[in-house]
Amino acid sequence: VKGGIGLVVNNASRTGDDGSPWSASDWVVKDSDSDSIDAVQVELSCTNGDGSLDITYIISLYPLSVATAVIVKNTGPKPAKLSSAILSHFKVRSRHGSAVRGLTGCSYCAHPPVPSRFGILSPAEAMQPEPPSFLGSLFGGNENRNVGDDLWTVEDKMYTILRDRLSRVYAAPPVERSKRIYNTPPSKYETIDQGSGLGFRVIRMGYDDIYLGSPGSSSRKHGKDYFICTGPASMLVPVVINSGEEWRGAQVIEHDNL
């Protein structure tokens, strides 16, 4: 199954035989609560092969929002270095009417999504350039093209248009994070679908970065519906969890039309 809302937790401190980091994938239902008047909650758990990481994933569904939270406990003797993200796929009615609002003034660079089993676009596909269109050749090409990974830019538009293929991380550049004062990404932003008039507010907690991606013309390979992929992430700088400590991250998606 691909798409939806998916949690990615990759442990670079523990690699498999092929050299790839261990990834949380074998989940079991730890608890559930459907008796509440206003919410349905499911708690999942996962441990890595040697039991040094204990991961809890909590999904809470409310009438007008959905909250997802992750708690990672390091029960092993050594520090763990993680990359993580909660990536949500939003179906939109119109490719040319899809956008996000709220990232103005935030630094970003081209970057592939965190590898996962549920992602619709692979990291390699997400970074491929958008094929030039006839109108694009007349009016200056694709303004949302993926530029080099090491080239940082500041978002200067109120609306980030997602009609073309795009794969970005909005974050404070790692070299800036050693300073006492630096700009961080906003804690919330909004998705826009002009075709349906629906919008959602995405709220980030615990994570340092924001991932944003769209398939552009390649969306036809994955079905008739256009979609965007976005969510909080810690991709550029690993999350280091020392022995006996825990780390928490969360995302809330709110219906933005009421």
Side-chain angles (χ1 to χ4, degrees):
V1 177
K2 295 186 177 182
I5 301 175
L7 170 67
V8 186
V9 178
N10 295 331
N11 182 9
S13 305
R14 186 174 184 271
T15 58
D17 296 336
D18 59 354
S20 60
W22 175 86
S23 180
S25 58
D26 297 325
W27 297 92
V28 296
V29 177
K30 187 176 181 180
D31 195 9
S32 63
D33 182 7
S34 59
D35 297 330
S36 175
I37 297 176
D38 61 348
V40 175
Q41 188 173 86
V42 177
E43 184 175 328
L44 307 175
S45 66
C46 176
T47 58
N48 62 346
D50 59 6
S52 59
L53 284 183
D54 184 7
I55 306 173
T56 301
Y57 185 35
I58 304 170
I59 305 101
S60 303
L61 180 62
Y62 301 92
L64 297 177
S65 64
V66 57
T68 50
V70 58
I71 304 171
V72 183
K73 297 180 180 179
N74 184 359
T75 58
K78 299 179 180 180
K81 294 183 179 180
L82 308 180
S83 61
S84 178
I86 302 177
L87 298 181
S88 303
H89 296 77
F90 294 90
K91 183 177 73 172
V92 294
R93 182 171 297 178
S94 170
R95 170 185 171 187
H96 295 278
S98 59
V100 297
R101 178 177 59 191
L103 299 177
T104 307
C106 183
S107 299
Y108 70 87
C109 69
H111 201 282
V114 179
S116 67
R117 296 183 179 182
F118 67 86
I120 296 178
L121 293 180
S122 68
E125 184 180 7
M127 293 300 291
Q128 291 176 0
E130 176 74 19
S133 64
F134 175 73
L135 291 178
S137 63
L138 290 178
F139 297 103
N142 176 14
E143 65 179 12
N144 282 338
R145 62 190 181 277
N146 282 333
V147 293
D149 292 351
D150 58 347
L151 181 60
W152 284 89
T153 308
V154 175
E155 181 63 76
D156 59 356
K157 300 179 177 63
M158 181 178 296
Y159 298 94
T160 304
I161 307 300
L162 300 175
R163 66 173 178 267
D164 296 316
R165 189 176 304 163
L166 175 150
S167 185
R168 293 176 179 173
V169 58
Y170 285 80
V175 295
E176 297 288 321
R177 302 185 193 188
S178 60
K179 299 179 180 179
R180 295 183 61 185
I181 300 176
Y182 59 90
N183 293 325
T184 60
S187 60
K188 58 184 177 181
Y189 57 100
E190 302 169 2
T191 68
I192 296 173
D193 178 8
Q194 290 183 339
S196 66
L198 293 176
F200 296 92
R201 183 180 297 108
V202 182
I203 302 172
R204 169 183 63 92
M205 290 174 280
Y207 286 94
D208 294 325
D209 314 328
I210 295 172
Y211 175 77
L212 179 63
S214 56
S217 59
S218 68
S219 66
R220 293 187 292 268
K221 295 169 49 180
H222 305 283
K224 64 179 182 179
D225 296 314
Y226 197 71
F227 64 91
I228 63 175
C229 177
T230 188
S234 288
M235 304 166 60
L236 302 182
V237 177
V239 175
V240 178
I241 309 176
N242 293 319
S243 177
E245 296 182 350
E246 69 176 32
W247 172 82
R248 299 176 178 229
Q251 171 187 259
V252 178
I253 299 175
E254 297 178 338
H255 199 294
D256 198 32
N257 295 86
L258 298 176

